[in-house]
Amino acid sequence: MLFQIKSYLQFLWHSKNEHAVHSPFVFSLLTKCFYDKKSKPEYAALKKYRNSLLANINTIEVTDFGVGSKIFKSNTRIIAKIAKTAGISPKRAELLFRITHYFQPDSILEIGTSLGLATAALSVGSKSVGRKAKIITLEGCPNTMALAKSQFQVFHFDNVNPIVSEFNSYLDDLRLSTLDFKLIYFDGNHSKKATLDYFELLLPTITNETVWIFDDIHWSSEMEEVWKIIKKHPKVTVTIDTFQWGLVFFRREQPKEHFVIRI
C-alpha cells in the first residue's frame, strides 16, 4: 500500500490534462473520449451487470495462476466481494466502454476475464457502434469462467467467446494462426515475466490501428519496470499513463511520445 501511495503522488506530480497535450491524436482521444462526462444509456446495462454480481452471496473456489490477490487470503471467495473489491470499478468500466466505442475495434482480446465486468464494457461498447466486435476473453480459473459465462448468456453478450486456458498456452498457439486484435485488454498475471511474455507473443498481431490497455501498471515495482520496458520498445510510438492503466499505440506516423494524464 505504501508503494502505491508513493507512486500515485509521483503520478500526480508529473500528470497533465488535455491543455498540455499537443498531439492531435491524443488531444482528440482525451476530449472526445476520456473527458466525455455525458451520461450514456449503455451505462445502465453495465450497472445492471455489476449489481447482479453484488447481489450474489454464493462462494466459488478460485484458482490463482498469477501473483495472487492482495485482498483475499483464501481461495474460497464470496462472489459479491470479488465484484466489489477485485473487479474493474464502475468509473473504469464506463471509460473502457467509451474507449471501445471511440476506436470501434472489430476484434478484441481480453486477458483475464474474472467475473466479466470489463468484458461487459467491451461487449456493450462494441455493440453501441452498430456492429458487434468479435471478443475473445481468456480466464485460467474454470470456476470463475463458468460463472462469467452464465452471466454473458443472461445478458445476451453473444459476441463474446469465453475460453478457459492458461494465457501463455493460448498465446503460443495464437502465433500459428492468422488472428489479429485491434484492441487488447491485459488484466491477467501481474508479474514482470508473464506480462512481458504476453507483450512479445502478441507483437506479431499489431497493426497501425492497434490499441493495447495494460491494467495496474503501478500495482508493484515489477509492473512499473514492465511499463518502462514497454515504453522503450522500438515498435511503441505513443503511450498514455492514467495511473491505473497504460495505453499503448503503434502508429507509425506518430513521433515517439509518452503522456501522463489525469482523468
Side-chain angles (χ1 to χ4, degrees):
M1 181 63 73
L2 185 62
F3 172 82
Q4 289 181 320
I5 292 171
K6 182 180 177 182
S7 291
Y8 187 62
L9 291 175
Q10 291 175 338
F11 167 82
L12 289 177
W13 178 259
H14 294 289
S15 63
K16 312 290 183 183
N17 58 23
E18 77 275 23
H19 301 297
V21 171
H22 303 293
S23 162
F25 169 74
V26 176
F27 182 82
S28 177
L29 175 61
L30 296 184
T31 55
K32 296 178 181 179
C33 176
F34 279 31
Y35 295 149
D36 181 1
K37 303 301 181 185
K38 295 177 183 177
S39 182
K40 315 291 182 190
E42 292 88 353
Y43 291 170
L46 303 183
K47 185 176 182 180
K48 187 175 181 181
Y49 187 96
R50 180 180 300 275
N51 286 343
S52 71
L53 292 168
L54 292 175
N56 192 334
I57 59 173
N58 294 319
T59 61
I60 59 172
E61 191 74 17
V62 174
T63 304
D64 274 325
F65 289 94
V67 294
S69 172
K70 290 184 177 180
I71 299 168
F72 297 100
K73 303 303 180 186
S74 168
N75 286 342
T76 302
R77 302 171 189 175
I78 299 171
I79 292 165
K81 287 189 176 180
I82 300 174
K84 185 177 181 180
T85 59
I88 190 173
S89 70
K91 181 181 177 182
R92 288 281 158 176
E94 290 175 0
L95 177 56
L96 187 58
F97 160 84
R98 294 198 302 274
I99 290 171
T100 308
H101 179 83
Y102 182 84
F103 286 110
Q104 301 187 21
D106 56 12
S107 52
I108 298 172
L109 174 65
E110 178 185 30
I111 301 176
T113 315
S114 187
L115 299 180
L117 288 163
T119 323
L122 295 167
S123 180
V124 175
S126 68
K127 289 179 180 180
S128 68
V129 298
R131 58 193 175 89
K132 298 178 184 178
K134 295 178 181 179
I135 302 173
I136 291 176
T137 183
L138 306 179
E139 175 57 49
C141 174
N143 294 338
T144 305
M145 182 60 96
L147 176 63
K149 189 174 181 179
S150 68
Q151 288 282 114
F152 300 155
Q153 291 169 347
V154 169
F155 285 85
H156 305 291
F157 296 157
D158 51 351
N159 61 331
V160 176
N161 179 14
I163 296 175
V164 177
S165 174
E166 290 191 34
F167 304 149
N168 271 75
S169 175
Y170 178 84
L171 299 181
D172 267 328
D173 292 340
L174 185 66
R175 289 190 298 177
L176 304 176
S177 75
T178 57
L179 283 175
D180 67 344
F181 301 97
K182 293 299 186 288
L183 188 154
I184 302 181
Y185 182 62
F186 296 80
D187 186 20
N189 187 327
H190 289 355
S191 73
K192 179 179 178 179
K193 183 181 184 306
T195 307
L196 289 177
D197 282 349
Y198 308 154
F199 178 83
E200 293 292 341
L201 286 168
L202 285 162
L203 271 178
T205 72
I206 63 171
T207 69
N208 211 49
E209 292 74 41
T210 296
V211 185
W212 286 6
I213 305 172
F214 289 86
D215 187 48
D216 285 334
I217 58 171
H218 296 283
W219 190 79
S220 65
S221 59
E222 268 203 356
M223 287 302 290
E224 286 196 342
E225 289 173 20
V226 167
W227 182 237
K228 290 175 183 176
I229 292 169
I230 288 173
K231 285 164 60 177
K232 291 178 182 177
H233 195 279
K235 290 189 177 179
V236 171
T237 56
V238 175
T239 67
I240 301 175
D241 177 349
T242 70
F243 188 74
Q244 180 76 34
W245 287 347
L247 282 80
V248 177
F249 301 91
F250 305 87
R251 295 164 54 85
R252 291 184 295 274
E253 68 274 22
Q254 294 279 137
K256 198 172 185 74
E257 207 167 358
H258 307 296
F259 300 87
V260 181
I261 299 295
R262 294 189 300 272
I263 59 174

